[in-house]
Amino acid sequence: NAGVTQTPKFQVLKTGQSMTLQCAQDMNHEYMSWYRQDPGMGLRLIHYSVGAGITDQGEVPNGYNVSRSTTEDFPLRLLSAAPSQTSVYFCASSSELAGGTDTQYFGPGTRLTVL
Amino acid sequence: AQTVTQSQPEMSVQEAETVTLSCTYDTSENNYYLFWYKQPPSRQMILVIRQEAYKQQNATENRFSVNFQKAAKSFSLKISDSQLGDTAMYFCAFDNAGNMLTFGGGTRLMVKP
């Protein structure tokens, strides 16, 4: 199993450009999430999905779109990049155990710089 | 909304000694999960240990153990026999059984030879 994979590892954008961060998992997990990590801070939830076709907003959703057409993939789209979106982005996946929640497994992250 | 607080931005410990990282959280939920994640310079998020709130017994994983005080909403991580490879950022995280994590601000741990 490759686990959770993310592409690209690094990206530099100009203000106003759009792009898609890719995330895929091969563990058949129902839950997938996107987090961002700003310098010296913990991760904050952007968007999440509880299954194919179902997405919802997290703590910091503005400026981002997501979709979940398959169980495996959960891309994050930046519609019009802004310098405030300079951050490291992590994708995570997990499954729901009977009566509780499973551990989230994280991808390696994408470092995004918006100039 | 839940909040997670790590009051120690930085800590250091001598190799082979023991160190404790603090974490407090605020929630009105009764069923939830707590985690410690390690983030080395490679920035990969690595699970260290997890605790289910309904379990009274503190979780242990080899050299890592927690002190879970539910009434006090406290969840500290103890690292015994510290190793140079333990040098990393450590994040405490809360999950209210919705598979969504709320993270603390992190503690940077330096293990000195």
Side-chain angles (χ1 to χ4, degrees):
Chain A
N1 283 354
V4 181
T5 58
Q6 292 183 238
T7 56
K9 285 187 169 53
F10 301 93
Q11 183 70 48
V12 179
L13 293 178
K14 294 181 179 178
T15 296
Q17 287 185 317
S18 62
M19 79 158 296
T20 299
L21 306 184
Q22 301 292 345
C23 173
Q25 53 92 7
D26 61 359
M27 298 175 281
N28 202 31
H29 285 168
E30 315 93 272
Y31 295 85
M32 296 188 74
S33 308
W34 277 102
Y35 296 84
R36 62 177 286 174
Q37 183 179 27
D38 298 316
M41 296 178 65
L43 283 66
R44 291 183 293 167
L45 183 65
I46 304 172
H47 285 285
Y48 64 97
S49 169
V50 301
I54 306 170
T55 64
D56 207 345
Q57 297 180 350
E59 180 185 355
V60 287
N62 292 342
Y64 308 94
N65 269 358
V66 292
S67 60
R68 184 103 178 265
S69 56
T70 68
T71 299
E72 294 78 19
D73 300 298
F74 190 44
L76 178 72
R77 297 182 186 85
L78 280 70
L79 309 173
S80 177
S84 61
Q85 293 178 305
T86 293
S87 190
V88 179
Y89 291 84
F90 288 94
C91 180
S93 74
S94 62
S95 63
E96 185 173 10
L97 298 176
T101 188
D102 197 0
T103 299
Q104 293 207 21
Y105 295 89
F106 286 84
T110 295
R111 182 178 294 278
L112 175 68
T113 302
V114 182
L115 303 176
Chain B
Q2 291 80 20
T3 58
V4 179
T5 302
Q6 294 179 247
S7 59
Q8 305 149 315
E10 294 186 0
M11 294 193 72
S12 64
V13 63
Q14 292 296 130
E15 197 176 5
E17 293 189 346
T18 296
V19 64
T20 299
L21 308 184
S22 300
C23 173
T24 58
Y25 58 94
D26 187 24
T27 184
S28 58
E29 304 284 341
N30 191 49
N31 182 31
Y32 52 87
Y33 301 79
L34 295 161
F35 302 85
W36 280 97
Y37 279 90
K38 169 185 177 181
Q39 187 179 43
S42 67
R43 80 171 180 239
Q44 178 71 49
M45 295 292 288
I46 302 166
L47 176 71
V48 174
I49 200 165
R50 66 174 268 163
Q51 174 80 42
E52 290 85 352
Y54 63 85
K55 290 186 178 178
Q56 292 187 342
Q57 187 172 7
N58 289 327
T60 62
E61 286 289 342
N62 301 314
R63 298 183 295 108
F64 299 89
S65 61
V66 299
N67 183 3
F68 173 48
Q69 301 289 328
K70 190 173 184 179
K73 296 180 182 174
S74 170
F75 183 60
S76 61
L77 174 69
K78 185 172 82 172
I79 305 174
S80 304
D81 186 26
S82 296
Q83 300 176 359
L84 297 178
D86 295 334
T87 292
M89 284 289 291
Y90 287 81
F91 292 99
C92 178
F94 174 99
D95 182 343
N96 66 347
N99 287 66
M100 293 176 286
L101 293 171
T102 300
F103 284 86
T107 296
R108 185 178 302 278
L109 176 67
M110 173 73 70
V111 179
K112 298 179 179 179

